[in-house]
Amino acid sequence: MTLDNSMLDGTIASIDGAVRRLGLEDDMRQVLVEPWREIQVGLPVRMDDGNIRVFKGYRSQHNAARGPYKGGIRYHPHADLEHTRALGMLMTWKTALADVPFGGAKGGVSVDPRELSTGELNRLTRRYTLSMHHVLGVNRDIPAPDLGTSAQTMAWIMDAYGSIHGHTPGIVTGKPVELGGSVGRAEAPGRGVAVVACRAIVDYGSSPEHSRVAIQGYGAVGSAAARTMFDRGANVIAVSDMHGAIVNTSGLDIDQLERIVAGGGNISDLADADQLTNAELLELECDVLIPAAIEDVITTSNASNIRAKIIVEGANRPVTSEADQVLSDANILVIPDILANAGGVVASYFEWAQNIQVFNWELDRVNRELDQMMNRAYEVTKERKDRNGGSTRDAAFDVAVGRVARVIKIRGYVG
Ligand code: GLU
């Protein structure tokens, strides 16, 4: 346990900071903080043993000033309404900073998806969709995968939604490519993390080729970040999964690691690597640390032990606000989640646009435009930081909150 604030309090504190720095009025602050709509539902599901279990499902639609609500659905034992609300808020700032025409939302179901069979997950997802379909829509709210959900989950949602509204691929993003998903979407969050990490390394006065990178979480985001950093010449010295971490200070063989994991193996099966714990990985001496698993991994309990020069938030809110202060005092640069991990929702925007136009892009185009949008978000944040001082997180929130506030005014949302 730590004494750090909850994720929701930390996120609201970031908004409040931006409201103060931008000189926005208290009326506007209320509109920016309060979710525009929230739904909690009971989801009865027939389990394989014949019994019924009722799961709790959530959707927090935080803000739609800049476009339809957008954000993933998380299946996790800790998912609850407050947690979903905090994640929904982060989506609003993420889409605004990346300048994609969406608002922000998040969904959740409190469930450990590893304990359910494929059939049970299918039925749970259909039930969730039936309970939410009236607030979803291509121009209303477009879900995507998040922790514990996948392209398969999106396929089930699309199917269930389509059975009511007709074939509607643009209702979800992160779908299987065969069903209208975009090439490059699955790798986009990790690729975006790497693009931003490389920019930060160069601004730090170094180069990817001279950088040692440690990645906590070798899942969808972490593995694609590792691949892209490796391709750009960086030395990926450590990665971890939920069972533990591996390290080799002269660099892990990422090609080999990918083959092992693709074959159903464990990261610990990689030869030429020492084992360590997740906690030890976070405290390794390295140039770039990418926490890409879950929130609250760098807290006041371990922040003073961090020996990375740059932290790039691959996960949502892995660094608590209290830890942020400790890291800033230690001169460690933190590239915040709403900038670093926007690659997923940027590629989601491309997927949604392709679905609406019924026209598929090639991978080269997806990657090129993704890199361009990530670079633009990085630059606008850096400009703000260079002009106003403060942390990169402050600068990112200033740009994002400023954009949303401006649109709320222009729309006349508050009459
Ligand atoms: N779940 C991802 C995120 O947290 C992607 C959201 C999306 O593509 O809508 O950014």
Side-chain angles (χ1 to χ4, degrees):
M1 273 311 274
T2 70
L3 298 172
D4 297 17
N5 269 334
S6 75
M7 192 164 162
L8 182 61
D9 289 342
T11 308
I12 293 176
S14 294
I15 305 172
D16 281 338
V19 165
R20 210 177 41 247
R21 288 185 298 275
L22 296 169
L24 300 176
E25 286 161 6
D26 193 52
D27 292 0
M28 179 58 84
R29 177 203 178 265
Q30 289 178 51
V31 182
L32 292 169
V33 168
E34 203 54 44
W36 290 9
R37 174 160 53 194
E38 285 187 322
I39 298 186
Q40 178 176 324
V41 289
L43 303 168
V45 175
R46 179 80 61 194
M47 306 303 281
D48 291 345
D49 63 8
N51 292 322
I52 287 177
R53 226 173 113 183
V54 183
F55 296 89
K56 279 202 166 85
Y58 316 93
R59 187 79 179 162
S60 179
Q61 298 180 324
H62 174 246
N63 189 296
R66 300 183 71 262
Y69 299 105
K70 185 85 191 81
I73 300 176
R74 179 174 289 206
Y75 286 180
H76 194 275
H78 296 156
D80 62 21
L81 190 55
E82 184 185 296
H83 189 250
T84 308
R85 184 181 303 152
L87 290 165
M89 287 181 177
L90 287 176
M91 287 308 303
T92 299
W93 317 124
K94 198 184 294 187
T95 55
L97 183 62
D99 207 7
V100 289
F102 294 129
K106 201 75 159 202
V109 176
S110 21
V111 60
D112 185 346
R114 289 166 309 172
E115 286 174 2
L116 269 58
S117 69
T118 305
E120 289 167 341
L121 284 169
N122 186 345
R123 293 194 288 281
L124 171 65
T125 304
R126 281 171 193 283
R127 180 53 78 169
Y128 181 94
T129 311
L130 286 182
S131 303
M132 299 281 180
H133 79 96
H134 57 296
V135 295
L136 304 179
V138 180
N139 297 312
R140 285 184 192 280
D141 185 354
I142 306 125
D146 198 80
L147 276 185
T149 54
S150 62
Q152 175 62 77
T153 323
M154 298 306 112
W156 291 327
I157 294 178
M158 178 185 149
D159 189 66
Y161 186 88
S163 67
I164 306 168
H165 299 274
H167 182 67
T168 319
I171 180 60
V172 279
T173 57
K175 300 176 288 292
V177 173
E178 304 90 310
L179 268 187
S182 177
V183 288
R185 169 63 184 79
E187 299 76 23
R191 183 183 174 93
V193 166
V195 169
V196 167
C198 290
R199 288 296 300 262
I201 290 169
V202 171
D203 283 339
Y204 202 90
S206 184
S207 67
E209 295 81 3
H210 291 102
S211 299
R212 293 154 305 160
V213 183
I215 302 179
Q216 192 228 9
Y218 193 71
V221 180
S223 60
R227 162 52 57 193
T228 315
M229 292 304 289
F230 182 72
D231 286 347
R232 295 184 181 198
N235 222 354
V236 180
I237 61 165
V239 300
S240 70
D241 63 14
M242 66 216 307
H243 307 293
I246 52 171
V247 62
N248 179 342
T249 48
S250 4
L252 298 171
D253 182 342
I254 297 298
D255 293 323
Q256 186 59 18
L257 185 61
E258 281 177 356
R259 274 194 292 273
I260 290 171
V261 173
N266 219 303
I267 61 168
S268 56
D269 299 337
L270 185 71
D272 289 334
D274 296 322
Q275 316 284 322
L276 66 171
T277 64
N278 260 286
E280 288 166 339
L281 178 145
L282 294 171
E283 298 177 10
L284 279 176
E285 197 188 323
C286 61
D287 298 292
V288 181
L289 171 63
I290 303 179
I294 194 155
E295 60 271 0
D296 293 349
V297 294
I298 301 176
T299 67
T300 42
S301 321
N302 60 356
S304 52
N305 302 333
I306 302 294
R307 289 184 292 162
K309 298 189 178 92
I310 304 171
I311 296 176
V312 182
E313 291 188 319
N316 288 319
R317 211 75 184 188
V319 177
T320 66
S321 357
E322 290 79 0
D324 240 351
Q325 194 51 55
V326 178
L327 297 170
S328 144
D329 293 344
N331 254 324
I332 297 171
L333 175 67
V334 178
I335 306 293
D337 47 10
I338 60 168
L339 169 60
N341 72 29
V345 77
V346 169
S348 277
Y349 163 50
F350 300 155
E351 179 173 331
W352 179 75
Q354 291 172 65
N355 293 154
I356 289 171
Q357 295 180 351
V358 200
F359 181 82
N360 294 338
W361 299 5
E362 301 286 335
L363 181 60
D364 273 358
R365 177 170 179 197
V366 171
N367 284 340
R368 186 171 19 92
E369 300 216 17
L370 173 67
D371 291 5
Q372 227 172 50
M373 291 194 81
M374 293 304 296
N375 276 307
R376 224 178 285 142
Y378 181 87
E379 279 151 22
V380 73
T381 306
K382 184 163 187 303
E383 263 164 41
R384 169 87 196 174
K385 183 179 170 179
D386 290 347
R387 214 175 37 244
N388 289 56
S391 69
T392 312
R393 194 186 308 278
D394 288 351
F397 268 83
D398 289 355
V399 174
V401 171
R403 282 181 179 166
V404 175
R406 220 155 24 246
V407 168
I408 287 173
K409 270 221 169 87
I410 301 168
R411 269 176 182 264
Y413 178 71
V414 186

